[in-house]
Amino acid sequence: MFSKSAIWVVVVLLLLMLYKQFDSHGVTGGAKPIAYSDLLDDVKAKRIKDVVIEGGNITATRSDDTKVRSTATILDRGLIGDLRDNGVHFDVKPPEEPSFLQQVFVSWFPMLLLIGVWIFFMRQMQGGGKGGAFSFGKSKARMMDETNNTVTLADVAGCDEAKEEVAEIVDFLKDPSKFQKLGGRIPRGVLMVGPPGTGKTLLARAIAGEAKVPFFSISGSDFVEMFVGVGASRVRDMFENAKKHSPCIIFIDEIDAVGRHRGAGMGGGNDEREQTLNQLLVEMDGFEAQSGVIVIAATNRADVLDKALLRPGRFDRQVNVGLPDIRGREQILNVHMRKVPIGTDVKADVLARGTPGFSGADLANLVNEAALFAARRSKRLVDMADFEDAKDKIYMGPERKSMVIREEERRNTAYHESGHAVVAKLLPKADPVHKVTIMPRGWALGLTWQLPEHDNISGYKDKMLEEISILFGGRIAEEIFVGQMSTGASNDFSRATKLARSMVTKFGMSDALGVMVYEDTQNDGFLGGTNKTISEATQQKVDAEIRAILDQQYALARNLLESNREKVEVMTKALLEWETIDADQINDIMAGLEPRPPKAGVSIRKQPPSDGGTGVSPSVTAPA
Ligand SMILES: Nc1ncnc2c1ncn2[C@@H]1O[C@H](COP(=O)(O)OP(=O)(O)OP(=O)(O)O)[C@@H](O)[C@H]1O
Ligand SMILES: [Zn+2]
C-alpha cells in the first residue's frame, strides 16, 4: 500500500511544479516577446514609459500601454544609462525564488525516487508481499502440526536400516522427559544423505508423524537472500519459533545451499551465506540438547558440507538413505499400490526386477503413470499392461504410434530384434529375455529387453562375452535374412566394443594381457587425453586383443543364428503380426512351437501386453 501512496505523492508534486512553472510565465504572460535590439530602439525612440527588470527578464510598458518583454544582458552596461537618458521609469527586482514547496521537492525528489524503487524491489522479492516490506527476517519455514501430518514410518519403505536408525529419535520425541531423567544424550542434529527422491523428506515427516510432534520444514535455499543478514535472522526466527512448539522437528532440505564449506565459491566467499551458516551453528550450539528440538537436514552430497556442521553436538548423526535394492523397490511399489485399485495380474516383484536404478520417487511416479494409463482406457483397475506401458514410457519416452514406418524398415527391425533375442535365449549365462518389441518408442525403432534375476552388481567374464554376442545378434540377423545392413546397429556395435575394451583394459579379463590394469581411469582424458602409461607396443597388443574378443563373439553369434534360422523366422513373423511378444511366446518359439496368441485385452490396444520387465540394458535399435 505504501508504494501506491508514494506514487501519488510524486504525481501530485510533479503537477504542482508544472503548475508553478506555467504560473510564473503567467506573470509576464501578456507581454509580447521582442528582440533586445528592438527594445533598445523603442527606448531611444521614447516609446517606453516603464521598465521592470527581474533577474534576466525585462518587461517593458510602452506609451500605448502594450507590454513587451525581452532578455537583458549583463554585457550591456549602457542599458541603465539609456533608460535614464530617455526618461524611462524603471525598477529592478531580485529574481524570483522558487517556492518553499518547490525547493523541498526539488531537493528530495531523487531521494524519494530511490526509496520508491527500493520498496518496489523489496515487494517484488517477497513474491507479491503479503508480509509487506518489513518481514524479511522472518523465517519462511512452513509448519505442519501434528494433527495434519498423517505420514508414518509404514509409508516409508525399502530403507530399513535408515528406519531403524531413526526409531530412537521417535522414542525421544514421544517422551522427552523419560530421556531427560536418565540424562541420555540425544542427537540434536541428524543429517540424511542420499540421492534425490529416495525419501529423505518423507522419512523426516514420518518421524514427526510417528511421534506426533510439529514439523517445520524449510529449504536451505530459502535462507540464501540477496541481503546480508537476512538469512541469519531467518535462522534465528525459525529456532525461536520451534522452541515455542517443542518437542518438534525442524527439517532443512538441501542444506548444502547454506552449509557448503566456507570460503568456497566465487571471490573467496559469500558473506551472506557464511553469516547464515554461522548463525545456524550458533543456534545449534545454543539450544539445550534437552529442549526437545531436533534438527534434521537432508543433502545429496555430504562431502561438500562445512566440517563445522558435522562436529559433535551439531549434525553428528548421519543416516544414509540410498537407492532401493530389488526388495526395497518391491516394498515401495506395494506402499504406493495401496493407493490405487490394482488388478490381480499385477506383480510388484516383477516390476521391481525391471526397474533397477529407480528411486522411491520414480516408483511413485510409475504407479501414478500406470493409473493414468488405466484411466485413459476407462478401466476400473490398473493392470499389468498399464504398468508395462508406464514403465516403457518412463524409460524410453512415449510410443510413437503416429510414426510412419515403411514396411521394409519394420521387417528389418523385426529381424534385428529377433536376432538379439534368439542369441540371448541360446546362451546359457544371459539374462532371460522378457520382451521383444518393434513398437517405435522415443528414439528407438525396436528393442529387446532382458530381465536380470538380481541387480547386476558385478560382471562376470562369461556373461560379458555373451553380452557381446547378443549385441552382435541384431546385425547378423539383418545380414543373413535381409541381405543388407542398416545403420540401426551402430549403437550395438559401439556398446560391444566398449565392453570388450573394458574387459581387456580395466577388468584384466584378457588371457593374453593378464590382469594388469592398462587404463588409469582417474586420469582418463585429462591433460591431452593420451595415456602415457601404455607403450606403443602394448597399445597394439590391447587393440589386437579387443579385436580377437569381438571376432570370436561375432563368430559365435553368427553360428547360433545360422543353425537356428527357422526360430528367427518364426519370431520375426510373430513380431510383424503382434509388434510385441512376451516371455511365454518367446519360450514357445524357442521350443519349436507355434507361439500362443497374445493375452487378452490386447487386440483392442493392438500392442500385446507382457509380464516382463526391463533389463538393465535393453538392446535398442535406433533409427538410421
Ligand atoms: N522409501 C520410500 N518409500 C515410499 N515412498 C517413497 C520413498 N522414497 C520416495 N518415495 C516417494 O517419492 C516422493 C518424493 O520423495 P522425497 O521428497 O521424500 O525424496 P527426497 O529424498 O527428499 O528427495 P530430494 O532429495 O529431491 O528432496 C515421496 O513423497 C514418496 O511418494
Ligand atoms: Zn540392436
Side-chain angles (χ1 to χ4, degrees):
M1 293 311 104
F2 182 23
S3 71
K4 235 184 205 165
S5 39
I7 287 173
W8 276 115
V9 168
V10 170
V11 168
V12 167
L13 285 180
L14 261 175
L15 286 177
L16 262 175
M17 207 159 93
L18 282 175
Y19 174 74
K20 264 268 148 197
Q21 208 69 16
F22 277 118
D23 197 42
S24 62
H25 276 243
V27 173
T28 55
K32 177 175 154 240
I34 57 170
Y36 189 57
S37 60
D38 292 346
L39 182 76
L40 284 183
D41 290 346
D42 278 355
V43 168
K44 286 199 177 123
K46 297 205 181 359
R47 280 196 291 266
I48 303 288
K49 61 176 186 193
D50 188 63
V51 162
V52 178
I53 303 171
E54 188 182 344
N57 295 317
I58 304 174
T59 311
T61 312
R62 286 194 177 134
S63 333
D64 57 357
D65 279 343
T66 57
K67 286 191 176 180
V68 293
R69 63 187 160 89
S70 186
T71 314
T73 165
I74 51 161
L75 293 176
D76 185 6
R77 291 177 186 248
L79 177 64
I80 305 294
D82 287 344
L83 291 175
R84 282 231 87 112
D85 291 350
N86 294 293
V88 179
H89 169 259
F90 69 90
D91 191 11
V92 179
K93 290 182 185 168
E96 199 192 317
E97 289 277 310
S99 73
F100 174 71
L101 203 68
Q102 242 174 335
Q103 271 179 15
V104 167
F105 183 70
V106 166
S107 55
W108 280 81
F109 182 73
M111 198 68 155
L112 284 176
L113 196 73
L114 272 178
I115 292 175
V117 168
W118 183 72
I119 288 172
F120 177 75
F121 277 107
M122 282 303 185
R123 294 172 64 88
Q124 211 66 354
M125 278 188 329
Q126 291 282 306
K130 245 187 245 144
F134 305 105
S135 65
F136 297 120
K138 289 272 181 287
S139 145
K140 281 186 176 177
R142 272 154 286 126
M143 185 179 127
M144 190 187 294
D145 72 40
E146 54 277 28
T147 47
N148 53 28
N149 180 8
T150 54
V151 182
T152 64
L153 284 178
D155 295 312
V156 189
C159 43
D160 295 338
E161 293 95 350
K163 275 161 73 172
E164 267 166 40
E165 289 198 46
V166 300
E168 186 197 19
I169 300 168
V170 175
D171 283 344
F172 166 74
L173 288 169
K174 268 185 182 160
D175 187 5
S177 60
K178 189 174 85 188
F179 282 77
Q180 279 155 11
K181 266 182 233 137
L182 293 172
R185 212 178 73 82
I186 278 295
R188 301 180 211 185
V190 179
L191 187 67
M192 296 204 182
V193 187
T198 44
K200 299 183 288 296
T201 313
L202 194 70
L203 190 57
R205 272 182 63 186
I207 296 171
E210 284 283 332
K212 302 208 170 27
V213 299
F215 180 73
F216 292 87
S217 80
I218 192 163
S219 169
S221 52
D222 289 342
F223 290 128
V224 184
E225 285 287 346
M226 210 184 292
F227 297 101
V228 174
V230 173
S233 84
R234 277 193 186 151
V235 171
R236 213 174 305 126
D237 188 65
M238 180 180 73
F239 274 85
E240 250 161 47
N241 217 343
K243 274 180 227 163
K244 282 184 216 144
H245 290 87
S246 94
C248 69
I249 284 181
I250 294 179
F251 178 70
I252 308 174
D253 206 355
E254 299 172 48
I255 187 142
D256 27 328
V258 269
R260 216 165 264 271
H261 59 85
R262 282 165 289 189
M266 273 186 296
N270 173 336
D271 276 348
E272 162 61 359
R273 203 178 51 72
E274 281 183 17
Q275 268 197 25
T276 311
L277 175 56
N278 285 338
Q279 187 63 37
L280 187 65
L281 296 176
V282 166
E283 292 287 347
M284 292 210 55
D285 290 341
F287 74 85
E288 286 290 301
Q290 314 298 14
S291 70
V293 179
I294 289 187
V295 187
I296 301 180
T299 179
N300 4 7
R301 306 198 50 193
D303 54 316
V304 299
L305 292 183
D306 199 297
K307 294 285 169 291
L309 268 175
L310 309 176
R311 233 171 266 147
R314 295 165 184 166
F315 293 101
D316 49 2
R317 178 92 48 115
Q318 273 201 26
V319 175
N320 286 309
V321 190
L323 283 175
D325 61 3
I326 190 162
R327 272 200 48 243
R329 291 197 298 272
E330 186 181 338
Q331 290 164 0
I332 295 173
L333 279 168
N334 280 327
V335 165
H336 289 281
M337 282 176 179
R338 269 192 251 132
K339 299 169 195 159
V340 286
I342 292 290
T344 47
D345 64 334
V346 176
K347 293 192 187 64
D349 57 330
V350 175
L351 286 168
R353 273 166 64 195
T355 45
F358 268 41
S359 68
D362 294 332
L363 293 167
N365 182 34
L366 173 68
V367 176
N368 184 47
E369 283 283 343
L372 290 179
F373 268 110
R376 241 175 270 150
R377 293 162 181 162
S378 322
K379 291 189 203 166
R380 283 181 33 246
L381 297 174
V382 188
D383 60 25
M384 198 63 174
D386 301 318
F387 275 100
E388 274 299 314
D389 288 340
K391 194 178 59 185
D392 289 1
K393 182 179 168 194
I394 292 170
Y395 259 113
M396 311 292 306
E399 285 178 356
R400 299 202 302 190
K401 287 193 175 148
S402 57
M403 186 167 146
V404 183
I405 298 172
R406 278 175 296 122
E407 194 50 35
E408 188 193 333
E409 201 170 10
R410 216 171 148 256
R411 207 172 78 99
N412 208 53
T413 309
Y415 274 116
H416 180 104
E417 299 306 331
S418 301
H420 284 311
V422 169
V423 174
K425 287 301 280 186
L426 290 169
L427 289 171
K429 295 232 166 50
D431 291 326
V433 181
H434 268 254
K435 177 160 144 179
V436 183
T437 179
I438 55 167
M439 181 78 195
R441 184 180 279 288
W443 47 274
L445 280 179
L447 46 112
T448 300
W449 273 358
Q450 289 168 262
L451 192 57
E453 307 280 359
H454 314 281
D455 283 4
N456 267 343
I457 294 166
S458 56
Y460 294 97
K461 184 178 174 184
D462 291 352
K463 199 169 170 214
M464 289 173 112
L465 288 173
E466 293 191 352
E467 237 161 81
I468 295 175
S469 291
I470 298 168
L471 284 166
F472 281 138
R475 166 66 163 274
I476 297 172
E478 287 182 50
E479 286 171 22
I480 300 177
F481 297 95
V482 190
Q484 65 177 23
M485 292 161 249
S486 72
T487 50
S490 62
N491 177 45
D492 295 343
F493 279 179
S494 66
R495 276 177 53 196
T497 314
K498 230 185 243 164
L499 207 56
R501 175 172 293 279
S502 316
M503 287 181 70
V504 175
T505 59
K506 273 192 207 144
F507 307 140
M509 288 174 178
S510 145
D511 296 330
L513 289 163
V515 290
M516 182 176 159
V517 172
Y518 289 92
E519 216 164 323
D520 186 359
T521 44
Q522 298 295 308
N523 286 333
D524 220 6
F526 189 58
L527 292 181
T530 43
N531 197 331
K532 293 281 192 289
T533 58
I534 296 187
S535 70
E536 198 68 22
T538 320
Q539 186 65 48
Q540 272 174 14
K541 265 203 243 164
V542 168
D543 286 344
E545 186 64 11
I546 293 169
R547 179 84 269 164
I549 291 179
L550 291 176
D551 284 348
Q552 177 197 323
Q553 295 315 116
Y554 182 93
L556 173 66
R558 178 140 194 142
N559 243 332
L560 287 174
L561 288 177
E562 293 271 18
S563 46
N564 288 279
R565 276 167 169 268
E566 79 293 348
K567 286 178 182 137
V568 179
E569 291 285 9
V570 176
M571 196 177 288
T572 301
K573 203 174 129 253
L575 277 175
L576 288 173
E577 191 175 343
W578 295 314
E579 283 197 329
T580 302
I581 53 174
D582 65 15
D584 289 339
Q585 293 170 306
I586 294 167
N587 285 337
D588 287 347
I589 295 168
M590 295 313 290
L593 305 168
E594 264 304 300
R596 66 193 81 178
K599 289 181 191 121
V602 173
S603 41
I604 319 161
R605 297 194 304 122
K606 195 160 178 258
Q607 192 207 358
S610 66
D611 63 352
T614 55
V616 188
S617 50
S619 307
V620 172
T621 306

